[in-house]
């Protein structure tokens, strides 16, 4: 299972070339049979949630991402066979 990396939300990510790039990443994981949680936009955060680099969240950002991951994982966990 894979997720999109957390990063700062920039308007440029909504452009055609960036969207095509995101689609190529999705296709890569799909081809490998690896589930990809969410959409790229799900993991783009305001600068106020970033710590020291564009990929490191502060405490509040980590809490938000953790909740997002939990929400996205629930359907997979609910459908797992019981042991």
């Amino acid at each position: 299972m894979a997720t999109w990396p957390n990063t700062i939300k920039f308007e440029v990510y909504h452009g055609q070339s960036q969207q095509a790039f995101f689609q190529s990443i999705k296709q890569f994981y799909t081809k490998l049979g690896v589930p990809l949680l969410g959409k790229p936009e799900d993991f783009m955060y305001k600068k106020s949630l970033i710590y020291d680099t564009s990929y490191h969240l502060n405490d509040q950002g980590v809490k938000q991402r953790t909740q997002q991951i939990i929400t996205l994982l629930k359907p997979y966990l609910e459908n797992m066979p019981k042991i």
Side-chain angles (χ1 to χ4, degrees):
M1 194 163 286
T3 67
W4 297 93
N6 38 274
T7 189
I8 297 173
K9 181 184 276 187
F10 290 112
E11 193 61 36
V12 69
Y13 291 145
H14 298 288
Q16 188 176 3
S17 64
Q18 286 295 324
Q19 289 298 309
F21 176 69
F22 294 143
Q23 187 61 31
S24 72
I25 292 171
K26 183 177 178 180
Q27 290 170 347
F28 170 79
Y29 282 111
T30 299
K31 197 174 194 179
L32 291 176
V34 175
L36 183 58
L37 296 177
K39 304 178 300 289
E41 301 83 30
D42 295 336
F43 299 101
M44 294 179 188
Y45 300 94
K46 298 181 292 185
K47 285 185 181 181
S48 64
L49 297 174
I50 302 298
Y51 178 58
D52 60 351
T53 74
S54 61
Y55 298 107
H56 294 154
L57 297 169
N58 61 24
D59 290 346
Q60 186 179 0
V62 168
K63 287 177 187 175
Q64 183 175 328
R65 181 177 168 93
T66 298
Q67 188 56 53
Q68 287 171 286
I69 296 291
I70 290 168
T71 300
L72 291 167
L73 278 174
K74 273 186 176 182
Y76 291 94
L77 297 175
E78 290 168 354
N79 292 321
M80 286 182 65
K82 306 290 186 231
I83 298 177

